[in-house]
Amino acid sequence: MRYTCFFLFAVLVATTSSCKKNGTGGEAEIGCHVKHHGILIPGARIYIKYGAKEFPGKDVSVYDDNKVTGTVGESKAHTHFTNLLRGNYYLYSIGYDSAISKTVSGGIPVEIKDSHEHLEIDVPVTE
């Protein structure tokens, strides 16, 4: 009986630990473009929150990672979050729209459904 309980406990630990979702350690990737009314916003900072389906708020200290988008060429207003696991994420961005001389911010929930998925997401921002 004691060995049976130990075996069942070991199986339970193995199956729950292998089902980890959200965060790093995987092979999925999210590519992000920051856009204000369809116009690219170079140099914007994008924050990512693991395990979030809804807006976590404007306090950037609650986010798990962040990147700055490129400013020229193909990387203009673009960056990547790599090595992600399947699960839910929230992308939040803050940038500056020089066309209107204002700070813009906004975000979008993202779900990675496949462990090898490569998503390209437009992160919408507003005044």
Side-chain angles (χ1 to χ4, degrees), residues 103-114:
T103 298
V104 290
S105 64
I108 190 168
V110 177
E111 181 181 6
I112 296 175
K113 296 178 182 177
D114 180 358

Side-chain angles (χ1 to χ4, degrees), residues 5-125:
C5 289
F6 177 76
F7 177 75
L8 291 174
F9 177 75
V11 169
L12 179 65
V13 169
T15 57
T16 57
S17 64
S18 66
C19 293
K20 182 180 175 198
K21 285 185 170 184
N22 308 308
T24 59
E27 296 180 24
E29 180 175 336
I30 301 173
C32 315
H33 278 99
V34 178
K35 293 184 177 180
H36 181 230
H37 300 299
I39 306 298
L40 295 172
I41 305 297
R45 184 168 298 274
I46 300 179
Y47 299 88
I48 188 169
K49 179 67 178 165
Y50 306 150
K53 292 182 179 182
E54 296 180 11
F55 179 46
K58 292 182 178 184
D59 178 2
V60 296
S61 69
V62 303
Y63 290 83
D64 298 299
D65 195 6
N66 69 86
K67 307 246 180 182
V68 176
T69 63
T71 57
V72 295
E74 289 184 19
S75 68
K76 185 175 182 179
H78 189 263
T79 194
H80 287 86
F81 290 96
T82 59
N83 303 318
L84 298 173
L85 296 165
R86 288 182 312 111
N88 296 297
Y89 299 87
Y90 196 91
L91 301 173
Y92 174 65
S93 183
I94 302 171
Y96 183 77
D97 188 339
S98 60
I100 61 170
S101 300
K102 289 190 176 184
T103 298
V104 290
S105 64
I108 190 168
V110 177
E111 181 181 6
I112 296 175
K113 296 178 182 177
D114 180 358
S115 60
H116 300 296
E117 194 166 15
H118 175 95
L119 299 173
E120 284 294 329
I121 303 295
D122 288 342
V123 180
V125 292

